[in-house]
Amino acid sequence: MDSSDHSDPPLDPARMGSDRPSAATDPGRGRRIGIDVGTVRIGVAASDPDGILATPVETVVRAGGKGGPGRAGGGKGAKAADLARIAEIVLEYEAVEVIVGLPRTLRGESGTSARLAVDFAKSLRTLLPALPIRLSDERLTTVSAARALRESGVRARGQRRMIDQAAAVAILQTWLDERSAVLRSAGDGRGEVLE
């Protein structure tokens, strides 16, 4: 697929709006990758080829992130390594779409974390220009993931990496559920299901 096969809006840090699944821009059947971007770690999740269920994949440590081992001399090399690993995962899973969580405040405002997610999505789009990279509103996914893990008995020590993956799963599963509803609705209007 070339970059003209999808119509992603430009990722504008000033706008920082989130995308919604659309029958018009849906790439069809295939795996999706969900990403929870943090300053220290990046949680990654993937869907099955039918786009029904999101599962955890990996937590990528940001070597140049706050508190990371590459902090002092980190910077571009560390950032490039993070992006390269995510791109490897996307290619390994033969993903048809990437969903990056866009953290917003409860009032729907964008802050530093949202800018970090937008910048990450822009950089990933540079590495994978033919692939749709979407931003999806992810208010409270990390908080919800942490609570769910705590309630399931996971100890605080082992939670951090799992929280990032669980947040990526929540971001992706929300997208998949909404996508399914949108495609069903579009199919009902034309007497067929778009899959």
Side-chain angles (χ1 to χ4, degrees), residues 12-24:
D12 179 6
R15 180 180 68 86
M16 284 197 256
S18 58
D19 299 308
R20 305 291 300 266
S22 162

Side-chain angles (χ1 to χ4, degrees), residues 68-74:
R71 181 69 171 150

Side-chain angles (χ1 to χ4, degrees), residues 7-186:
S7 55
D8 277 346
L11 297 172
D12 179 6
R15 180 180 68 86
M16 284 197 256
S18 58
D19 299 308
R20 305 291 300 266
S22 162
T25 60
D26 189 83
R29 186 177 188 274
R31 294 182 188 273
R32 271 94 178 139
I33 297 293
I35 299 177
D36 177 52
V37 180
T39 56
V40 179
R41 290 172 304 278
I42 302 165
V44 184
S47 75
D48 60 285
D50 292 319
I52 296 169
L53 183 65
T55 56
V57 171
E58 182 176 326
T59 299
V60 176
V61 176
R62 300 191 77 173
K66 192 164 60 176
R71 181 69 171 150
K76 278 191 174 178
K79 181 178 178 183
D82 299 340
L83 285 164
R85 179 61 193 137
I86 299 299
E88 280 176 21
I89 293 168
V90 169
L91 296 173
E92 176 185 325
Y93 278 79
E94 298 178 351
V96 296
E97 187 171 48
V98 177
I99 312 305
V100 178
L102 180 64
R104 310 295 285 274
T105 66
L106 290 176
R107 293 187 297 186
E109 297 168 351
S110 301
T112 305
S113 294
R115 276 189 288 283
L116 179 69
V118 170
D119 289 345
F120 185 87
K122 282 173 122 176
S123 297
L124 191 59
R125 187 178 280 173
T126 301
L127 282 178
L128 303 166
L131 201 67
I133 310 289
R134 319 277 192 207
L135 292 167
S136 181
D137 192 331
E138 63 129 322
R139 281 173 243 200
L140 299 177
T141 53
T142 302
V143 173
S144 299
R147 184 180 312 121
L149 288 171
R150 204 171 32 255
E151 289 171 0
S152 69
V154 176
R155 300 172 117 182
R157 252 186 125 160
Q159 277 187 11
R160 288 185 179 158
R161 288 177 183 263
M162 291 176 71
I163 289 170
D164 298 315
Q165 289 178 37
V169 166
I171 291 163
L172 184 55
Q173 191 63 56
T174 299
W175 181 272
L176 295 174
D177 293 346
E178 188 173 349
R179 173 184 178 263
S180 177
V182 164
L183 293 180
R184 248 191 332 272
S185 175

